[in-house]
């Protein structure tokens, strides 16, 4: 085989590998593992343990929101900051990489926006000490929660 022929084969192999990497990147970074539902929402297809982890995190958010609302009602900004921080970006490290690959990009963006919003809320609650400001930030974060719940649901994929 000529060197030109070998070069053509190498280029073809590289092109196939690049295409495969792009497809995998699309699947695991952008598309995730989803299924469109009749009600218009998208089911994120997760293994039973992954679904349990996701739903458990959401339940802990509800408890954290109650703690935060109570602190704001009492104008206890130290407790409000602590409650917000507990729901911040540090929580996102609990998600296994395999599960992250199943989440579509918009879902991940909303989730990171929620966690980041709680981080900002905690910092501002400590620095500014203004309950109304923190309440407005909470409203912004909850809009992301509403958007996510209106768009997605947790489905169960076959193990």
């Amino acid at each position: 085989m000529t060197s030109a022929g070998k070069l053509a084969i190498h280029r073809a192999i590289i092109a196939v590998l690049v295409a495969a990497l792009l497809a995998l990147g699309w699947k695991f970074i952008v598309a995730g593992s989803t299924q469109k539902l009749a009600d218009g929402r998208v089911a994120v297809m997760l293994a039973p343990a992954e679904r349990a982890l996701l739903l458990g995190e959401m339940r802990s958010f509800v408890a954290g929101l109650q703690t935060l609302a109570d602190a704001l009602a009492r104008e206890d900004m130290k407790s409000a900051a602590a409650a917000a921080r507990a729901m911040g970006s540090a929580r996102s490290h609990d998600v296994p990489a395999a599960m992250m690959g199943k989440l579509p990009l918009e879902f991940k963006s909303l989730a990171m926006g929620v966690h980041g919003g709680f981080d900002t809320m905690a910092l501002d609650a400590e620095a500014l000490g203004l309950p109304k400001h923190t309440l407005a930030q909470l409203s912004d974060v909850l809009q992301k929660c509403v958007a996510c719940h209106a768009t997605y649901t947790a489905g169960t994929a076959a193990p």
Side-chain angles (χ1 to χ4, degrees):
M1 178 175 292
T2 66
S3 63
K6 288 180 184 179
L7 183 60
I9 290 172
H10 287 120
R11 285 184 179 163
I13 291 170
I14 290 171
V16 168
L17 290 173
V18 167
L21 286 173
L22 289 174
L24 285 172
W26 173 261
K27 175 71 176 162
F28 291 109
I29 295 172
V30 179
S33 180
T34 62
Q35 191 173 54
K36 190 77 169 166
L37 299 178
D39 68 0
R41 291 181 301 151
V42 175
V44 179
M45 305 309 290
L46 302 169
E50 294 168 335
R51 185 175 187 273
L53 176 73
L54 178 68
L55 296 177
E57 180 170 309
M58 287 184 209
R59 285 190 299 275
S60 72
F61 272 152
V62 172
L65 289 169
Q66 187 281 321
T67 301
L68 178 58
D70 176 67
L72 288 172
R74 292 181 291 105
E75 297 187 0
D76 178 356
M77 298 311 288
K78 183 177 179 180
S79 294
R85 185 167 286 105
M87 295 180 280
S89 295
R91 292 293 304 270
S92 64
H93 300 297
D94 297 341
V95 180
M99 183 176 165
M100 284 295 285
K102 295 177 183 180
L103 305 175
L105 184 60
E106 183 184 10
F107 183 101
K108 289 183 264 203
S109 295
L110 286 167
M112 291 299 111
V114 166
H115 288 297
F118 282 122
D119 289 336
T120 301
M121 197 182 307
L123 292 171
D124 287 356
E126 289 173 335
L128 303 175
L130 301 172
K132 280 190 173 186
H133 178 77
T134 304
L135 191 57
Q137 289 174 309
L138 178 58
S139 178
D140 289 342
V141 167
L142 287 173
Q143 286 177 359
K144 291 175 181 65
C145 295
V146 169
C148 192
H149 283 268
T151 306
Y152 299 102
T153 188
T156 304

